[in-house]
Amino acid sequence: MGVTPVVRSRLVEWSLVAAVIVALALAFAYYANKVRGQSELAAIRVTVGALRSTLAVEDLRQKVPHAAPSAALIPYNPFELLRQRPGNYRGEVADAQAAGALATPGSWVFERTCACIAYRPLDTRWLDSPSGDALLWFYVLDPHGKKQTSNQGPLQLVAREAYLWQGQLID
């Protein structure tokens, strides 16, 4: 007993429909992952921007007469200046090795020795680091590029390397 031509044509039609659905699902998954990477880049930029703004506001606050002295220690941990720390901030560490261990994917840490902050991406496929490091590092520097603070301008967050995220510069 052979397969009738009608059944055979229906089988081919359903196979084509299944192939199109699989192709659409794969394309959707690819673009959803790409959008997830873009949202992580936006979160990184928002956090760095908030920290930079906070450092500038702290500098202005210290220049206002009769302002209370800052409770932050030198070198500044910019996370300490925020009213509310991000939920993905893991704390301070003493060295880069400890920062690598403490920074879980998607989290920030402050490293006291180099006076810098570090971020470990959720997915490192989107990060292009010249050194190949899996963490993004930002130095907390005074306007003269020194790790100590000075009274001649706000502290700044400066990327240690030219990091690229999906081909876009993180600065």
Side-chain angles (χ1 to χ4, degrees), residues 21-38:
I21 290 173
V22 167
L24 288 173
L26 291 174
F28 176 78
Y30 171 78
Y31 285 108
N33 193 33
K34 191 170 183 173
V35 168
R36 189 173 57 87
Q38 290 171 348

Side-chain angles (χ1 to χ4, degrees), residues 33-101:
N33 193 33
K34 191 170 183 173
V35 168
R36 189 173 57 87
Q38 290 171 348
S39 68
E40 186 174 3
L41 172 61
I44 292 167
R45 286 182 170 166
V46 164
T47 301
V48 170
L51 293 173
R52 285 178 174 155
S53 298
T54 302
L55 290 171
V57 168
E58 178 65 14
D59 178 63
L60 292 172
R61 194 188 66 71
Q62 288 181 354
K63 290 181 180 179
V64 172
H66 308 293
S70 174
L73 299 174
I74 297 173
Y76 283 107
N77 176 350
F79 289 102
E80 296 294 326
L81 298 173
L82 296 173
R83 286 187 184 173
Q84 182 177 4
R85 291 185 196 100
N88 59 350
Y89 173 64
R90 299 292 174 247
E92 292 187 20
V93 293
D95 59 20
Q97 244 181 354

Side-chain angles (χ1 to χ4, degrees), residues 41 44-45 48-49 52 138 157-159 161-163 168-171:
L41 172 61
I44 292 167
R45 286 182 170 166
V48 170
R52 285 178 174 155
F138 295 88
L157 284 180
V158 179
E161 302 174 10
Y163 298 110
Q168 298 180 39
L169 182 65
I170 299 176
D171 56 351

